[in-house]
C-alpha cells in the first residue's frame, strides 16, 4: 500500500500502547466502543457509537508480518490514541507507530491519553517533537477516567467537549431523577389518600386498601429501584411516610393482620437502612418491635405460609443485629429459629423457590457466626456449601431471578473468605473468581444497580488481598486500582452510604499496606495521608460507626509508625 494513499477508515481510532499498559488499553477500548453519544450529538449518518477501535495485540493474532499488519491498522483508522506513560515513553514501537501514522495521515488527529506519570516523562519522543496533540489525563489527579474519556470521545466524534459533558451529565441525572420523581409522585398520592381517610368508615376502608397498595409498592419495586441508584435519602423519606401512615391509624390493635404485617416489614426496612448508616442501636429497636408483631400474628395463624415467612424475616433481622454486636448466643438462637421456620415453610409450600432461598439464607447466617465469631471454620464451610446448594436449587426453579443469581455468587464469596482464613489460597481464589464470573453478566444487564456494583467492588478487593497473600504484589496493585475506580464511581452516587464509605477506606488502607510490602515508603505515606483526609472530610453520617472509625485510625497509625522506622528502599512509582 502506498504511503499517503486514500484508504477506507474502518476504525474510529488506533490505540498505541506499551504491552505493560495492556490492562489500561483494554479498559479504554471498552469505554470508547461502548460509549453511546447523547441524543442530538449523533454523527451525520445518525450513528451514536464511535465504532470499532483497533488495538493491535488483540486485533492481529494471525498476522504473518507484524509491521505490515500495524501499517494496515494505522492506514484504516480515522485517528490515533496514544496511551502515554513512562512505559510508552521508552517504547520504540509506540514511537514508530506515532511517526508512521503521521506519515500515512498528516491531516488526521492524534490524541494523547495519559495513564501514568507526568506529560514530560510519559510522552514518546514523536509526540514531544511534533505538533502538540490533544491530551486527556485519565489519572485520578488529572481529568479522571470519566472526564478524560469524554475528552477523547468529543475529539473522535468531532463534537464540542462542553456540549458533550453537558448532555452526558443531563442523561445521567435523568436516570436518577426519574426514579426520585416517581417516589415523590407516589408519596404525594399517598398523602392525598391519607387526608381523606377519616371522612367515612366505608370510604376509609376503600382508601386503606389503596394506601396499603402503595405501601406494598414502596416496600418492593420502589425500594429496590432507590437502592439500585444509592438513594438512601429518598429511602428514608419513603420509610417515614409509610410509618406515619400507620401512626395515623390510631390503636394498632384495631388494624387488620395484613396491615400489621406490612408495618413490621416497614420496620425491617427502616432497621436495614439504620445498619447501612451505622446506627446499630436504632436498628435493633426496630427489629425487636417487628419481631413481637410477627410472632403475635403467627400465633393466630400458625399454618399460613405468609405469616411463617414474615416471622422468619423478623428472626433473621434480630439475629443479624445480635451478630453485628457480637452476641453469639443470641445470634445463633434467632438464626436457628430462622432455619426452623424456613424448613416449616418448605413443608407447607414444597417446590417453591422462596422456600429454598430461605433455607439458603438461614444456613449461611449460621455459617457466618461460626466463622466470624466462633472461628469454627470447618463447620462454617459445611453450612456455606449447604447454603450454596439451596440457592442453586432455587435458581433452577427461577433462573431469571436477579436476586437469586446474586445470592449464588455471594455464597462463593463467603466460602472464599473462610478458605482464605484457613490459608487455602487456591480455593479462595477459585471461589472469588467464580463470584466475579457470575456477577459480570448481571452488571452488564443492569449497570446502574448499586448492589451489583458493590458486590463486584468487594470481590475485586478480595482478589487483590488473595494475590497479595500469595506474593503476587503487582497483580494485587492492579486489582486495587480497579477496585478504587469502582468505589469512586459508587460513592459519587451517595457519599453518605456507610458500606460504600467503609469499602473505599479499606481500599486506601490495603493499597498503603501493599506499597509498604513493595518497599515504596513514600507512596505508603501518601496513601496513609489520603486515607486520613478521607475520614476527616467525610460526612459524620457516613463515618457513623465509631468502632470501624477507631479501628481504621489505629491501623493507619501503625502503618505510619512502621513507615517512619523503615526508610524507603525502592523506587516510588505508584499511581495512587
Amino acid at each position: 500500500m502506498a504511503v499517503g494513499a486514500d484508504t477506507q477508515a474502518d476504525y474510529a481510532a488506533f490505540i498505541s500502547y506499551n504491552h505493560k499498559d495492556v490492562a489500561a488499553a483494554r479498559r479504554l477500548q471498552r469505554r470508547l466502543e461502548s460509549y453511546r453519544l447523547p441524543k442530538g450529538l449523533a454523527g451525520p449518518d445518525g450513528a451514536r457509537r464511535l465504532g470499532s477501535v483497533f488495538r493491535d495485540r488483540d486485533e492481529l493474532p494471525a498476522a504473518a508480518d507484524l509491521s505490515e499488519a500495524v501499517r494496515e491498522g494505522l492506514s484504516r483508522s480515522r485517528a490515533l490514541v496514544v496511551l502515554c506513560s513512562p512505559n510508552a515513553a521508552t517504547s520504540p514501537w509506540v514511537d514508530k507507530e506515532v511517526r508512521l501514522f503521521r506519515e500515512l495521515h498528516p491531516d488526521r488527529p492524534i490524541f494523547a491519553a495519559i495513564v501514568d506519570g507526568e506529560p514530560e516523562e510519559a510522552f514518546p519522543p514523536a509526540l514531544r517533537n511534533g505538533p502538540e496533540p490533544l491530551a486527556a489525563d485519565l489519572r485520578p489527579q488529572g481529568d479522571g477516567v470519566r472526564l478524560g474519556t469524554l475528552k477523547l470521545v468529543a475529539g473522535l466524534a468531532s463534537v464540542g467537549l462542553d456540549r458533550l459533558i453537558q448532555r452526558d451529565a443531563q442523561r445521567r441525572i435523568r436516570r436518577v431523577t426519574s426514579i426520585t420523581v416517581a417516589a415523590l409522585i407516589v408519596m404525594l398520592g399517598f398523602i392525598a389518600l391519607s387526608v381523606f381517610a377519616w371522612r367515612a368508615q366505608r370510604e376509609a376502608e376503600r382508601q386503606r386498601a389503596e394506601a396499603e397498595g402503595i405501601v406494598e409498592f414502596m416496600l418492593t419495586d420502589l425500594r429496590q429501584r432507590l437502592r439500585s441508584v444509592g438513594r438512601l435519602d429518598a429511602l428514608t423519606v419513603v420509610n417515614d411516610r409509610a410509618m406515619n401512615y400507620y401512626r395515623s391509624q390510631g390503636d394498632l390493635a384495631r388494624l387488620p393482620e395484613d396491615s400489621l404485617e406490612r408495618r413490621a416489614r416497614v420496620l425491617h426496612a427502616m432497621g436495614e437502612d439504620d445498619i447501612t448508616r451505622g446506627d446499630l442501636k436504632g436498628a435493633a429497636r426496630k427489629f425487636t418491635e417487628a419481631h413481637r408483631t410477627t410472632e403475635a400474628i403467627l400465633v393466630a395463624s400458625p399454618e399460613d405460609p405468609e405469616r411463617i415467612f414474615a416471622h422468619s424475616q423478623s428472626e433473621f433481622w434480630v439475629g443479624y443485629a445480635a451478630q453485628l454486636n457480637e452476641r453469639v448466643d443470641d445470634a445463633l438462637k434467632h438464626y436457628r429459629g430462622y432455619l426452623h421456620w424456613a424448613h416449616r415453610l418448605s413443608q407447607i409450600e414444597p417446590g417453591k423457590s422462596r422456600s429454598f432461598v430461605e433455607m439458603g439464607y438461614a444456613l449461611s447466617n449460621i455459617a457466618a457466626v461460626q466463622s466470624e465469631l466462633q472461628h469454627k471454620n470447618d463447620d462454617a464451610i459445611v453450612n456455606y456449601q449447604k447454603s450454596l446448594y439451596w440457592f442453586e436449587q432455587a435458581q433452577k426453579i427461577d433462573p431469571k431471578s436477579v436476586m437469586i443469581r446474586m445470592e449464588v455468587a455471594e455464597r462463593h464469596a463467603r466460602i472464599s473468605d473462610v478458605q482464605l482464613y484457613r490459608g487455602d489460597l487456591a480455593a479462595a481464589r477459585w471461589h472469588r473468581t467464580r463470584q466475579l464470573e457470575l456477577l459480570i453478566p448481571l452488571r452488564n444487564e443492569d449497570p446502574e444497580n448499586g448492589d451489583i456494583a458493590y458486590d463486584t467492588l468487594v470481590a475485586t478487593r478480595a482478589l487483590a488481598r488473595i494475590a497479595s497473600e500469595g506474593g503476587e504484589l503487582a497483580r494485587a496493585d492492579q486489582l486495587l486500582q480497579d477496585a478504587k475506580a469502582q468505589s469512586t464511581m459508587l460513592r459519587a452516587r451517595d457519599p453518605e452510604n456507610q458500606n460504600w464509605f467503609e469499602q473505599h477506606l479499606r481500599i486506601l488502607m490495603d493499597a498503603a499496606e501493599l506499597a509498604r510490602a513493595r518497599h515504596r515508603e513514600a507512596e505508603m505515606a501518601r496513601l496513609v495521608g489520603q486515607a486520613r483526609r478521607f475520614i476527616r472530610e467525610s460526612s459524620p453520617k457516613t463515618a457513623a460507626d465509631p468502632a470501624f472509625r477507631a479501628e481504621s485510625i489505629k491501623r493507619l497509625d501503625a502503618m505510619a509508625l512502621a513507615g517512619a522506622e523503615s526508610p524507603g528502599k525502592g523506587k516510588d512509582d505508584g499511581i495512587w
Side-chain angles (χ1 to χ4, degrees):
M1 179 183 298
V3 173
D6 186 14
T7 58
Q8 176 70 28
D10 296 325
Y11 297 100
F14 181 110
I15 296 181
S16 178
Y17 64 98
N18 181 268
H19 70 92
K20 294 180 181 179
D21 299 322
V22 64
R26 286 174 180 163
R27 289 194 294 270
L28 180 59
Q29 181 186 28
R30 285 196 298 269
R31 288 196 299 270
L32 292 176
E33 289 184 339
S34 63
Y35 187 83
R36 186 177 176 86
L37 289 165
K39 291 182 179 179
L41 296 182
D45 60 350
R48 293 174 63 188
R49 294 194 187 276
L50 297 175
S52 298
V53 174
F54 190 101
R55 186 169 59 81
D56 62 344
R57 274 68 171 179
D58 281 353
E59 303 291 342
L60 306 172
D65 183 346
L66 181 61
S67 298
E68 183 60 30
V70 169
R71 176 183 291 267
E72 177 72 11
L74 287 167
S75 70
R76 294 165 57 192
S77 298
R78 293 194 298 272
L80 177 67
V81 176
V82 184
L83 216 60
C84 297
S85 71
N87 298 325
T90 58
S91 169
W93 296 107
V94 173
D95 192 72
K96 289 179 179 179
E97 287 172 353
V98 174
R99 297 181 187 279
L100 180 57
F101 185 84
R102 281 194 176 135
E103 181 182 1
L104 291 171
H105 309 297
D107 58 336
R108 294 185 184 179
I110 297 178
F111 305 92
I114 304 172
V115 295
D116 190 11
E118 298 301 325
E120 58 270 14
E121 64 182 1
F123 280 26
L127 286 185
R128 292 196 299 265
N129 299 333
E132 183 175 352
L134 172 65
D137 191 347
L138 301 177
R139 300 174 302 164
Q141 67 269 35
D143 296 326
V145 171
R146 184 156 194 84
L147 178 57
T149 301
L150 288 178
K151 281 188 174 181
L152 293 174
V153 171
L156 294 172
S158 299
V159 299
L161 177 61
D162 290 343
R163 288 186 66 204
L164 180 61
I165 292 174
Q166 182 181 15
R167 294 291 183 88
D168 185 83
Q170 289 172 348
R171 179 170 61 187
R172 291 173 60 82
I173 290 171
R174 281 196 298 271
R175 289 175 183 168
V176 177
T177 302
S178 62
I179 295 177
T180 305
V181 168
L184 291 174
I185 292 172
V186 168
M187 283 185 285
L188 288 173
F190 187 85
I191 293 169
L193 289 173
S194 300
V195 167
F196 293 103
W198 58 271
R199 288 190 174 182
Q201 184 63 32
R202 188 169 60 182
E203 182 65 13
E205 290 299 327
R206 185 186 67 80
Q207 291 188 11
R208 173 182 291 168
E210 293 184 10
E212 294 201 355
I214 294 176
V215 170
E216 186 69 21
F217 170 72
M218 293 163 71
L219 288 172
T220 54
D221 292 353
L222 180 59
R223 178 174 176 79
Q224 183 59 37
R225 293 178 192 178
L226 291 171
R227 278 179 59 86
S228 71
V229 294
R231 290 300 308 272
L232 283 183
D233 54 342
L235 278 175
T236 300
V237 176
V238 167
N239 292 335
D240 288 344
R241 291 295 184 186
M243 192 54 66
N244 286 339
Y245 165 74
Y246 288 109
R247 292 191 188 101
S248 71
Q249 301 304 301
D251 185 3
L252 295 179
R254 298 173 58 187
L255 285 177
E257 288 185 354
D258 286 345
S259 297
L260 290 172
E261 183 186 311
R262 284 194 181 92
R263 180 178 178 275
R265 288 167 58 196
V266 173
L267 288 168
H268 292 160
M270 295 176 73
E272 183 182 5
D273 295 341
D274 284 345
I275 289 175
T276 303
R277 299 184 189 88
D279 183 6
L280 298 185
K281 290 183 179 179
R285 286 194 300 270
K286 294 178 178 69
F287 295 151
T288 301
E289 182 180 349
H291 187 277
R292 286 195 298 266
T293 300
T294 55
E295 187 174 42
I297 296 173
L298 181 58
V299 169
S301 306
E303 299 301 313
D304 187 332
E306 297 308 318
R307 304 296 184 245
I308 293 173
F309 176 79
H311 189 55
S312 72
Q313 304 310 295
S314 290
E315 290 278 25
F316 161 72
W317 284 116
V318 175
Y320 186 54
Q323 179 186 347
L324 293 177
N325 285 296
E326 299 186 1
R327 300 197 310 272
V328 176
D329 291 340
D330 284 347
L332 286 176
K333 171 188 173 183
H334 287 286
Y335 284 161
R336 285 171 181 145
Y338 182 19
L339 181 59
H340 165 78
W341 293 115
H343 183 258
R344 182 71 185 119
L345 188 65
S346 69
Q347 293 174 328
I348 293 177
E349 49 177 33
K352 288 192 175 181
S353 64
R354 178 172 74 166
S355 303
F356 294 163
V357 164
E358 295 308 303
M359 290 288 290
Y361 276 136
L363 288 162
S364 184
N365 298 147
I366 292 171
V369 174
Q370 291 172 330
S371 173
E372 298 167 15
L373 301 182
Q374 294 183 308
H375 306 296
K376 297 180 178 179
N377 293 310
D378 290 342
D379 292 341
I381 286 289
V382 170
N383 279 320
Y384 275 137
Q385 292 284 9
K386 290 179 180 177
S387 174
L388 176 60
Y389 166 82
W390 284 111
F391 278 113
E392 288 176 338
Q393 296 308 304
Q395 188 176 5
K396 290 178 181 178
I397 297 172
D398 191 3
K400 294 184 179 180
S401 169
V402 172
M403 179 275 292
I404 295 176
R405 292 163 65 192
M406 288 180 66
E407 294 302 338
V408 171
E410 178 62 20
R411 290 329 105 189
H412 285 287
R414 303 289 182 89
I415 295 171
S416 173
D417 287 344
V418 181
Q419 295 289 21
L420 179 61
Y421 187 83
R422 298 171 73 189
D424 190 342
L425 296 182
R429 181 182 294 106
W430 188 91
H431 282 285
R432 274 294 180 181
T433 302
R434 181 57 181 154
Q435 181 198 13
L436 268 181
E437 289 172 350
L438 295 171
L439 288 174
I440 287 172
L442 285 167
R443 195 169 184 186
N444 291 338
E445 292 167 16
D446 188 4
E448 296 299 322
N449 189 303
D451 291 337
I452 298 173
Y454 176 78
D455 286 356
T456 306
L457 161 65
V458 172
T460 306
R461 176 176 167 259
L463 279 172
R465 181 186 174 194
I466 294 169
S468 179
E469 292 280 344
E472 300 175 73
L473 302 187
R475 173 63 175 160
D477 185 45
Q478 182 184 43
L479 287 164
L480 281 175
Q481 292 173 31
D482 188 13
K484 186 183 180 187
Q486 295 178 42
S487 179
T488 300
M489 293 179 65
L490 261 184
R491 294 200 72 252
R493 301 188 195 179
D494 183 7
E496 292 188 358
N497 187 301
Q498 173 73 18
N499 290 334
W500 299 354
F501 164 83
E502 290 185 7
Q503 283 300 321
H504 195 81
L505 181 55
R506 285 191 173 102
I507 290 168
L508 292 175
M509 294 189 292
D510 288 353
E513 290 182 340
L514 181 61
R516 181 166 181 257
R518 303 180 79 183
H519 307 295
R520 297 174 176 178
E521 269 44 74
E523 181 182 348
M524 184 196 73
R526 283 200 306 275
L527 286 162
V528 169
Q530 187 177 349
R532 283 175 166 160
R533 286 193 304 275
F534 180 65
I535 295 175
R536 188 167 56 248
E537 296 170 3
S538 294
S539 163
K541 294 181 181 179
T542 302
D545 185 353
F548 174 73
R549 181 185 180 91
E551 174 191 343
S552 301
I553 293 173
K554 183 178 179 180
R555 184 178 171 189
L556 290 168
D557 288 342
M559 281 189 280
L561 180 61
E565 294 174 351
S566 302
K569 296 181 181 179
K571 182 180 178 182
D572 184 4
D573 60 352
I575 68 170
W576 289 84

